[in-house]
Amino acid sequence: MLESILFYSFAVLAVVTALFVIFCRHPVYSVLYLLITMFAIAAVYVMLQAYFVAAIQLIVYAGAILVLFLFVVMMLNLDHEGEESFRVGPSRWFAVPFALAFLCEVIPIIENFGNVQRSNVPMLEGTTEIVGRHLFTRHFLPFEIVSFVLLAAILGAAVLSKRTWR
Amino acid sequence: MISLTHYLVLSAILFAIGVVGVLIRRNAIMILLAVEIILNAANLSFVAFSRFNNSLDGQIFVFFIMTIAAAEVAVGLAILLVLFRSKRTIDTNQIKSLRW
């Protein structure tokens, strides 16, 4: 019962703040609402016993990525945006019916997964120790490759922001 | 009892919201924010499947997706800054040099 209450409150919080992110006129408010969405999703991760992923969600998304967004929004200082922050033309009017059609299509498929029951094997909890052991044994090669991706991202961001494009 | 379906429906709703955001916003920063919502929806279904299949591989996937998302945001925002510096706008309706 408590689990249901917690799940529904966090799910509603995530969906409502995600809608605010989409429909807010000013980018700063959108970024701040996205922060709340990230917190709600992290709470859902905790309910799924993925503690390491929840912590990473808070540290990386809420701590790093959204601060980066906030810096860029404040640096660009788009005051003149005002009324016309939404697209004009067909994509504006077809977006919501398209999304509703997508949901109507997908939710019956999801319903088929409902009969998947939790197995009787004791649950693997996603604590840092267990996830780390998996990460450094079975998935060690992707872990090393992803460090190269991060290095490439650092170099790309540095090169892009340093050169003067004239 | 909260079943797998609940988590997947939440994930699908967040995904649809993200798609709507990509389609209706003109500001390029807002499009990147909506892409973040889409990535989070995918992460949520990964974690849900990982929990209900009693396997940790989904959570490892989420770790990698978050790393790639961080790299994508760093490069994407740098591109937006360069774009703003040269065109004085990040409105996707006014950036037409690659459009036919």
Side-chain angles (χ1 to χ4, degrees):
Chain A
M1 188 60 199
L2 180 65
E3 191 189 359
S4 299
I5 295 173
L6 282 177
F7 174 79
Y8 282 115
S9 51
F10 283 123
V12 168
L13 184 66
V15 170
V16 169
T17 52
L19 284 172
F20 276 132
V21 171
I22 298 307
F23 291 112
C24 253
R25 292 205 178 276
H26 204 282
V28 175
Y29 293 142
S30 293
V31 175
L32 293 178
Y33 278 122
L34 189 61
L35 190 68
I36 306 176
T37 312
M38 295 302 174
F39 271 93
I41 293 176
V44 175
Y45 287 161
V46 170
M47 294 180 59
L48 285 166
Q49 297 186 347
Y51 306 115
F52 175 71
V53 173
I56 290 293
Q57 168 93 4
L58 290 185
I59 294 170
V60 174
Y61 266 115
I65 293 183
L66 289 187
V67 171
L68 203 60
F69 270 110
L70 216 51
F71 267 125
V72 172
V73 168
M74 288 174 175
M75 208 188 282
L76 297 188
N77 194 16
L78 302 162
D79 283 338
H80 53 275
E81 193 184 22
E83 284 299 305
E84 43 184 58
S85 65
F86 297 101
R87 271 185 218 272
V88 289
S91 72
R92 175 177 184 170
W93 306 113
F94 283 118
V96 174
F98 173 73
L100 290 179
F102 167 77
L103 281 182
C104 294
E105 193 111 346
V106 156
I107 285 178
I109 300 173
I110 290 174
E111 293 286 324
N112 292 334
F113 289 114
N115 49 18
V116 176
Q117 288 300 321
R118 298 181 198 193
S119 51
N120 294 324
V121 190
M123 276 298 146
L124 274 174
E125 292 194 341
T127 57
T128 311
E129 184 192 350
I130 300 172
V131 175
R133 196 166 284 155
H134 269 252
L135 207 54
F136 284 109
T137 53
R138 288 183 58 194
H139 304 275
F140 188 62
L141 184 63
F143 184 76
E144 286 298 318
I145 292 173
V146 96
S147 69
F148 276 98
V149 173
L150 282 180
L151 184 66
I154 293 171
L155 289 179
V159 167
L160 278 172
S161 55
K162 219 172 162 57
R163 273 175 60 179
T164 51
W165 297 81
R166 269 291 155 191
Chain B
M1 204 60 193
I2 303 297
S3 66
L4 176 59
T5 312
H6 291 78
Y7 293 104
L8 292 182
V9 168
L10 173 61
S11 164
I13 292 173
L14 284 177
F15 185 90
I17 292 173
V19 171
V20 172
V22 170
L23 287 177
I24 67 170
R25 297 307 294 250
R26 287 170 59 176
N27 191 335
I29 292 180
M30 298 306 303
I31 292 178
L32 278 182
L33 277 183
V35 168
E36 293 301 314
I37 295 179
I38 293 177
L39 284 172
N40 268 283
N43 283 349
L44 184 59
S45 51
F46 263 122
V47 174
F49 274 118
S50 147
R51 169 90 169 96
F52 284 87
N53 286 328
N54 207 14
S55 145
L56 277 184
D57 292 341
Q59 298 184 22
I60 306 285
F61 260 101
V62 169
F63 176 80
F64 289 130
I65 292 174
M66 281 183 187
T67 318
I68 300 299
E72 171 238 333
V73 165
V75 176
L77 288 178
I79 290 175
L80 285 190
L81 279 181
V82 174
L83 200 61
F84 186 75
R85 221 184 280 159
S86 65
K87 303 256 183 197
R88 308 307 302 171
T89 180
I90 52 167
D91 187 340
T92 48
N93 280 10
Q94 293 177 27
I95 302 167
K96 292 176 179 164
S97 42
L98 278 182
R99 209 180 279 176
W100 49 275

